[in-house]
Amino acid sequence: MKLNLGYLFDLVFVITEKDLKVRYKSSFLGYLWSIANPLLFAMIYYFIFKLVMRVQIPNYTVFLITGLFPWQWFASSATNSLFSFIANAQIIKKTVFPRSVIPLSNVMMEGLHFVCTIPVIIVFLYVYGMSPSWSWLWGIPLIAGGQIIITFGLALLFSTLNLFFRDLERFISLGILLMFYCTPILYGADMIPANFSWMVDYNPLASMILSWRDLFMNGNVEYERITFLYSSGVFVLLIGMWTFNKLKYRFAEIL
């Protein structure tokens, strides 16, 4: 079956729309729930690290949310992808279409939630005497593109392997939690001891978070970090695609 970009785009749009309707069915507050979770955690971390432990980071609230909001996009996409093929088992069995668009639509849905948090970031910037920069116009799509690539690669890998190894979800959840604390979200990259600098230098998720934070808070587009994010993302995507193509023919019998 020949595919074109228009068909794939429509397919991703339809599945993403379906997932959004399912998630927010009978929900009164709708998308506001997508920002409630990271905002709540931001308040908790602010209390612990700023008020109790007195971490000396200027504008700590903005510092937190500019790391937590993009991380929420990544973590929710990676976690929810574990069940994306299982949740769409009936569609997979009855319809012929590229299965890979299912985890991709989940990444795009969480990406829409992230876009909805940007106005919240803008409000907090003004509260702390800062303002958006013109560099956001190209910086946001540039960093978002890198995050989509690496997140889709992991989502494709996780969703495929979880069909055959159902215990994998527990390890991945623990792994994402570990990566959260190994990524400079709650603390600055300059606070990491020199002998642990590899946690940032070789961590594409750190490059992703630091790129978002530097863009939102300082208006800087860190092309070196973004280049590393893209190169790592392409590598992860190739692994995810290879795994998916090797195992996709057994999906029907597993589901």
Side-chain angles (χ1 to χ4, degrees):
M1 180 178 63
K2 283 189 175 183
L3 300 175
N4 56 60
L5 290 177
Y7 172 77
L8 290 175
F9 178 82
D10 290 342
L11 197 55
V12 171
F13 178 83
V14 169
I15 296 178
T16 302
E17 185 181 34
K18 176 188 74 70
D19 291 342
L20 282 170
K21 287 180 178 179
V22 170
R23 173 173 294 194
Y24 295 120
K25 184 179 180 181
S26 302
S27 176
F28 177 72
L29 294 178
Y31 89 91
L32 290 178
W33 288 116
S34 65
I35 63 175
N37 187 54
L39 267 181
L40 176 62
F41 277 103
M43 293 170 59
I44 294 171
Y45 292 135
Y46 180 87
F47 175 78
I48 294 173
F49 289 95
K50 190 66 175 179
L51 301 183
V52 177
M53 299 180 66
R54 300 183 184 277
V55 173
Q56 298 303 311
I57 297 179
N59 305 317
Y60 192 58
T61 302
V62 182
F63 181 91
L64 275 177
I65 64 175
T66 52
L68 283 172
F69 285 170
W71 178 265
Q72 180 77 9
W73 175 10
F74 166 77
S76 296
S77 298
T79 303
N80 295 339
S81 70
L82 289 165
F83 308 99
S84 58
F85 288 136
I86 298 172
N88 291 277
Q90 294 302 317
I91 300 176
I92 292 175
K93 290 179 180 178
K94 297 178 179 179
T95 311
V96 178
F97 67 99
R99 281 34 172 169
S100 57
V101 302
I102 294 178
L104 177 58
S105 66
N106 185 66
V107 174
M108 300 307 293
M109 178 180 66
E110 297 298 339
L112 288 175
H113 291 156
F114 171 71
V115 170
C116 293
T117 66
I118 293 179
V120 179
I121 294 175
I122 294 174
V123 169
F124 275 97
L125 284 176
Y126 280 113
V127 168
Y128 282 84
M130 295 179 281
S131 61
S133 168
W134 286 108
S135 58
W136 287 27
L137 293 177
W138 63 89
I140 289 177
L142 185 62
I143 303 172
Q147 181 160 346
I148 289 172
I149 291 173
I150 193 168
T151 308
F152 174 48
L154 288 172
L156 194 58
L157 179 66
F158 294 162
S159 58
T160 301
L161 291 179
N162 194 54
L163 284 176
F164 301 89
F165 309 100
R166 295 299 171 90
D167 287 341
L168 188 65
E169 62 184 87
R170 293 176 175 82
F171 291 101
I172 290 176
S173 297
L174 289 174
I176 292 174
L177 182 62
L178 176 64
M179 290 304 299
F180 173 77
Y181 289 107
C182 290
T183 303
I185 299 172
L186 306 179
Y187 52 86
D190 57 347
M191 299 173 65
I192 300 175
N195 55 325
F196 289 101
S197 61
W198 54 268
M199 290 171 53
V200 173
D201 297 338
Y202 303 106
N203 180 1
L205 298 180
S207 294
M208 179 183 77
I209 295 300
L210 292 175
S211 296
W212 280 119
R213 178 172 289 146
D214 209 17
L215 176 67
F216 286 135
M217 295 189 69
N218 305 313
N220 297 331
V221 180
E222 290 287 343
Y223 292 103
E224 186 176 348
R225 287 198 185 110
I226 296 172
T227 299
F228 179 60
L229 173 62
Y230 269 88
S231 57
S232 303
V234 170
F235 178 73
V236 171
L237 180 58
L238 290 174
I239 293 176
M241 291 176 63
W242 181 84
T243 305
F244 170 78
N245 288 326
K246 279 287 185 180
L247 299 174
K248 65 181 180 180
Y249 302 104
R250 297 180 56 193
F251 279 17
E253 62 184 75
I254 296 295
L255 293 171

